[in-house]
Amino acid sequence: MIRQVWPVERDLADADLEQLYAYPAGPRWLAVNFVSSADGAITVDGVSGGLSTPADRIVYRLGNDLADVVLVGAGTAMAEGFEGMRPDERTAERRRRFGLAPIAPVAVVTSGRSLPADAPVITKAAVPTLVFTSAAAPEPLRDAWAANGARVFVVGETDVPGAAVVSTLVAEGLGRIDCEGGPKLFGSLIEAGVVDEFRLTVAPFLVAGTASRAALGGVVDPAALELASVLTDGESVLLRYLRSINR
């Protein structure tokens, strides 16, 4: 049982969780999802699966189920073995109720080097994957992505600006964006000022080691956030932060 402990205490049914994690109406809402150990690690042996808990899997699925598109960095897509979304009966019913397309596509951000032409996120996806890259990516590689079924968007000269990725997704009618990392992509979205919500699961583990933090990139002025909700199942803590509009 997942319980909300702030701003009010209450037990949460599935419908309550759906309302908490639904994307607000409007042209764009970008939510970033991460799971972290209690000491700040975001991976174990290079992947996040070792940190996931039952409560985290529930909110992770809600992020997928209620989004127009799932946004991910190429390094994370390869490390985590992304193959695109494959809704089961429950997800399909949920997406119907919320007026969403049957399957959310995956959007992958890459400089080119980290995304092979035969990446599973392209070749095994049920709907075409959107690949965002720069003009510096070799043209034969871009052609190979397209030949394998991807839609390829060149949105920068040498890098892939987060703002350009998001604006393109919105123009494509994919404004409810579920970002699942990795750290470099999250950092670029913070720099661009386009993160609307940060969803963080603090899992009951100590990891130490050299695992990365959730966001990496250039130094920016701290972006103020407002705490929206705190949930727990008695082990994990599920935090939702919204971008502050008062600063």
Side-chain angles (χ1 to χ4, degrees):
M1 170 65 72
I2 295 179
R3 181 171 178 78
Q4 180 172 296
V5 296
W6 193 90
V8 295
E9 293 192 27
R10 56 175 178 150
D11 292 332
L12 298 175
D14 287 348
D16 300 317
L17 287 166
E18 286 181 346
Q19 291 305 313
L20 273 178
Y21 284 88
Y23 295 76
R28 186 203 84 199
W29 191 266
L30 192 158
V32 179
N33 286 275
F34 268 91
V35 59
S36 165
S37 67
D39 61 333
I42 62 165
T43 59
V44 177
D45 296 329
V47 295
S48 62
L51 295 172
S52 187
T53 63
D56 176 62
R57 287 188 284 274
I58 289 172
V59 299
Y60 175 87
R61 178 172 179 166
L62 283 166
N64 290 171
D65 287 358
L66 300 176
D68 290 319
V69 61
V70 177
L71 176 63
V72 65
T76 296
M78 295 301 296
E80 301 282 354
F82 272 50
E83 296 182 356
M85 301 296 110
R86 284 179 170 76
D88 59 15
E89 183 176 338
R90 182 179 184 184
T91 291
E93 187 274 335
R94 178 179 277 161
R95 292 184 67 83
R96 282 194 299 270
R97 281 192 287 110
F98 279 81
L100 298 165
I103 302 175
V106 175
V108 183
V109 176
T110 179
S111 62
R113 296 182 300 273
S114 54
L115 189 68
D118 61 352
V121 72
I122 295 175
T123 60
K124 295 186 177 182
V127 295
T129 294
L130 287 65
V131 176
F132 288 87
T133 192
S134 72
E139 188 171 352
L141 180 57
R142 285 185 264 147
D143 292 342
W145 291 329
N148 283 335
R151 299 179 62 201
V152 180
F153 298 84
V154 177
V155 295
E157 292 300 319
T158 59
D159 59 358
V160 187
V165 171
V166 172
S167 63
T168 302
L169 289 174
V170 172
E172 290 287 317
L174 304 172
R176 288 168 284 202
I177 305 168
D178 173 34
C179 178
E180 299 184 357
K184 291 182 180 178
L185 175 58
F186 187 16
S188 74
L189 297 173
I190 292 172
E191 290 182 58
V194 293
V195 176
D196 298 295
E197 182 177 352
F198 181 39
R199 300 171 176 177
L200 175 65
T201 297
V202 180
F205 305 110
L206 295 174
V207 174
T210 59
S212 179
R213 57 182 292 174
L216 297 172
V219 177
V220 299
D221 289 336
L225 299 175
E226 297 176 351
L227 186 62
S229 65
V230 181
L231 315 181
T232 185
D233 64 348
E235 295 184 350
S236 303
V237 179
L238 313 170
L239 304 169
R240 290 176 53 248
Y241 289 98
L242 305 182
R243 183 179 59 182
S244 175
I245 60 175
N246 298 320
R247 181 178 176 183

